[in-house]
Amino acid sequence: MDPTLLIGDVVERHLSATKAVEFPALQTSSTGFPQHKRRWKSSAFKKQRSGAGSEPETGSDADASRSSAQGVTQQLGLDEAERRRIDQENRQKIASMSPQEIAQAQDDIMQGLNPTLVQRLLQRANIDDHIEPSPFDPPASEHKEKTPAPPEDKALTQIPPNLFPITNQPKSTHFPAPPSLPDIDPSDPNFLATLHEKYFPSLPADPSKLAWMAPVPSKDSPADKESPYYPHPEIGVSALRFDFRGRFLSPRISRSIPSTRGLHHHGEAPEAAGYTVAELARLARSAVPAQRCMAYQTLGRILYRLGHGEWGKTENDPIAMGVWDSMKQGRVLESLLEAAAGEGGHRGSRAYATEALWLFEKGGWKEKLKGR
């Protein structure tokens, strides 16, 4: 087949033969927007339920509504008639059964169905008053008797005996209250025991954890005489106390310093001011930078006075050797060297540790130890 036969000539059309496009005219409102067009109507059932609040219907709408309402009424009538017919057939069948057959049917139903479902069906069986009870219903004695509500809207014939007039009020009202305990006195020798009994009676008592809360013993009392820094004839060197300048504080001077000087703390002798070398050694390893700085500064000044021979210059001096033994037991020099060589961290702690080591070298105690 010749392919040129499929190609036709180009034909030009005149514009007058083309029909112009026409758009439907839109109704505009005063606002300039197109008016809303209602595209459906309410159902007849909805209009029937709306009642008098709905708009009156005219023409075909009213006829459709009446037809729909009649259809609904007819359907409801058919359902009622069908229900009554089924109920009548069931009653005729039950009437033709013997008591043994009815009992057997009841057993089959109870065994074949869930008891909860059976109970619900029995409760719904007599929902209508005009329906007579079925032989399959449980006896009336099994139903829970409902207590009738008292007639609250009726006047009482007589006043109940448990009421009294408003003018005759009881003289007193008793409310239960916990037993009262004595007030806590901080100066009481039994302060910790009273505190535990009043606020924490159900918790185990641990006096060692509450020792810091104990009151300071009164002067020259039996508890005061048991303090390690009471002016005894003999006091151990490890119990000696020093101020922030590294000066030795005797027991009498330490106990006379007021607490406003900042030297009192919860130590082994809370009534005495000052710090022992062992207490300063523990503070030198504290997690609080301010406590470490105070300990480094005080220990450096004690080491400087020790090297200058303020408490003795030879190994025969018991106070000087006792202070140095306390330094070794608390590993004071190791703590100072570690803090001074540390990178980063608290700069003040590193500066005070470096100063303490310098005071130790300046005092010369290290040179005295070399000659031993």
Side-chain angles (χ1 to χ4, degrees):
M1 184 178 179
D2 189 359
T4 57
L5 297 178
L6 301 178
I7 301 175
D9 297 333
V10 178
V11 179
E12 295 183 359
R13 297 182 180 180
H14 297 285
L15 296 177
S16 59
T18 305
K19 186 178 180 180
V21 180
E22 296 180 359
F23 295 95
L26 299 176
Q27 297 179 359
T28 59
S29 62
S30 59
T31 59
F33 293 94
Q35 295 183 355
H36 172 67
K37 182 179 180 182
R38 189 173 182 179
R39 300 183 181 275
W40 63 82
K41 299 181 181 179
S42 301
S43 63
F45 182 74
K46 182 177 181 181
K47 292 181 179 179
Q48 182 184 5
R49 295 193 62 179
S50 61
S54 61
E55 299 178 356
E57 299 177 350
T58 59
S60 59
D61 292 343
D63 296 338
S65 299
R66 285 192 293 270
S67 300
S68 177
Q70 292 176 359
V72 172
T73 304
Q74 293 176 359
Q75 182 65 32
L76 293 175
L78 293 175
D79 294 343
E80 179 66 18
E82 183 67 15
R83 187 181 66 83
R84 290 180 176 276
R85 184 187 63 81
I86 295 174
D87 181 68
Q88 187 65 24
E89 291 180 359
N90 291 337
R91 292 184 179 280
Q92 291 177 358
K93 185 176 181 180
I94 294 173
S96 62
M97 297 173 63
S98 62
Q100 292 77 12
E101 293 176 346
I102 294 176
Q104 181 65 33
Q106 289 179 345
D107 295 339
D108 295 341
I109 293 175
M110 293 298 179
Q111 295 178 3
L113 296 179
N114 188 353
T116 305
L117 177 60
V118 173
Q119 185 66 23
R120 291 181 181 178
L121 293 175
L122 293 176
Q123 291 176 356
R124 297 182 58 183
N126 298 332
I127 193 171
D128 294 332
D129 296 336
H130 61 276
I131 300 295
E132 298 179 359
S134 172
F136 289 99
D137 294 344
S141 59
E142 296 183 5
H143 294 283
K144 294 183 179 179
E145 296 181 357
K146 296 183 179 179
T147 304
E152 297 177 357
D153 55 346
K154 294 183 180 180
L156 298 176
T157 57
Q158 58 181 0
I159 300 178
N162 57 348
L163 295 182
F164 51 87
I166 193 171
T167 58
N168 186 16
Q169 295 289 346
K171 297 181 179 180
S172 63
T173 304
H174 173 70
F175 294 97
S180 59
L181 296 176
D183 295 335
I184 298 180
D185 184 8
S187 61
D188 184 9
N190 299 325
F191 169 75
L192 295 180
T194 308
L195 177 69
H196 180 270
E197 181 182 358
K198 184 171 184 178
Y199 294 104
F200 314 101
S202 60
L203 298 180
D206 191 354
S208 62
K209 293 184 179 180
L210 300 178
W212 64 274
M213 298 180 62
V216 177
S218 58
K219 186 177 180 180
D220 297 332
S221 64
D224 186 28
K225 294 181 180 180
E226 295 177 359
S227 173
Y229 218 54
Y230 185 78
H232 293 290
E234 296 182 2
I235 297 178
V237 180
S238 61
L240 298 180
R241 296 187 172 272
F242 304 85
D243 62 4
F244 292 136
R245 293 182 177 273
R247 296 175 297 188
F248 167 67
L249 296 176
S250 64
R252 297 186 181 278
I253 296 177
S254 175
R255 293 164 61 87
S256 63
I257 295 177
S259 59
T260 56
R261 299 286 296 274
L263 289 171
H264 290 77
H265 56 91
H266 301 291
E268 295 180 356
E271 78 286 351
Y275 291 83
T276 64
V277 175
E279 292 172 348
L280 293 172
R282 288 194 295 268
L283 291 175
R285 295 185 293 272
S286 172
V288 182
Q291 292 181 348
R292 295 200 304 270
C293 293
M294 184 275 294
Y296 295 157
Q297 187 181 48
T298 307
L299 287 171
R301 293 172 179 180
I302 295 175
L303 289 172
Y304 178 80
R305 293 178 183 275
L306 176 65
H308 265 259
E310 206 168 296
W311 307 301
K313 298 182 179 180
T314 63
E315 59 183 4
N316 296 326
D317 297 320
I319 297 180
M321 296 305 302
V323 172
W324 177 244
D325 291 339
S326 298
M327 292 285 183
K328 291 190 296 182
Q329 292 177 4
R331 302 179 64 86
V332 172
L333 292 180
E334 288 82 349
S335 299
L336 295 175
L337 290 172
E338 182 180 357
E343 296 293 336
H346 191 257
R347 295 184 179 181
S349 300
R350 186 166 65 252
Y352 280 113
T354 304
E355 179 191 58
L357 292 173
W358 181 81
L359 289 174
F360 174 65
E361 296 286 343
K362 191 73 173 176
W365 181 258
K366 185 177 182 181
E367 299 297 329
K368 295 179 182 179
L369 291 178
K370 292 181 179 179
R372 294 179 55 186

